[in-house]
Amino acid sequence: MIETWIDIIVNLIIVLLLLAGTFFILSSSIGINRFPDVYTRLHAATKASTLGIAGILIGAFLFLYVSESIISGKLLLAILFILLTNPVSGHMISRAAHKAGVKPVTKHQKDAYEEAIQQYKSSR
């Protein structure tokens, strides 16, 4: 009886991770289509998809571990790689866009990055 409860709980955790990952990927794709400028689209593309892909890969890892007793090093490396590179690549793309002259869509906000660059240039 106890093994069946543990199996049910583990399967529920796996399903929740897969559903959460799918939700984040879906919200990422909606955000990419709906947001107004490059920076907010990059935010949607990097943050939500990182969580989505990580959730799906963790769910797949747990499924393989529970059902087949396989510890997949490839899935662990993929999770680590996604968590390390996706936010960094989004940051670098946004810096390149800013240096290329793409201005953010701001209504009542200041461009803090531009102010920091100007302050750094004036202090040199």
Side-chain angles (χ1 to χ4, degrees), residues 104-117:
V105 176
T106 55
K107 294 179 182 172
H108 301 291
Q109 299 173 353
K110 297 178 185 176
D111 189 2
Y113 185 58
E114 183 67 34
E115 291 175 4
I117 290 173

Side-chain angles (χ1 to χ4, degrees), residues 47-121:
K47 306 294 188 237
S49 66
T50 300
L51 287 173
I53 292 170
I56 290 174
L57 290 177
I58 291 170
F61 175 79
L62 286 177
F63 177 76
L64 285 177
Y65 181 70
V66 170
S67 67
E68 304 292 328
S69 299
I70 296 173
I71 297 177
S72 176
K74 291 178 183 178
L75 284 175
L76 290 175
L77 285 174
I79 293 167
L80 180 68
F81 183 73
I82 291 295
L83 290 176
L84 290 176
T85 59
N86 209 2
V88 173
S89 65
H91 178 74
M92 290 294 115
I93 292 170
S94 66
R95 284 188 65 185
H98 196 275
K99 286 185 179 183
V102 178
K103 297 296 179 189
V105 176
T106 55
K107 294 179 182 172
H108 301 291
Q109 299 173 353
K110 297 178 185 176
D111 189 2
Y113 185 58
E114 183 67 34
E115 291 175 4
I117 290 173
Q118 295 302 327
Q119 184 180 12
Y120 175 74
K121 286 181 179 178

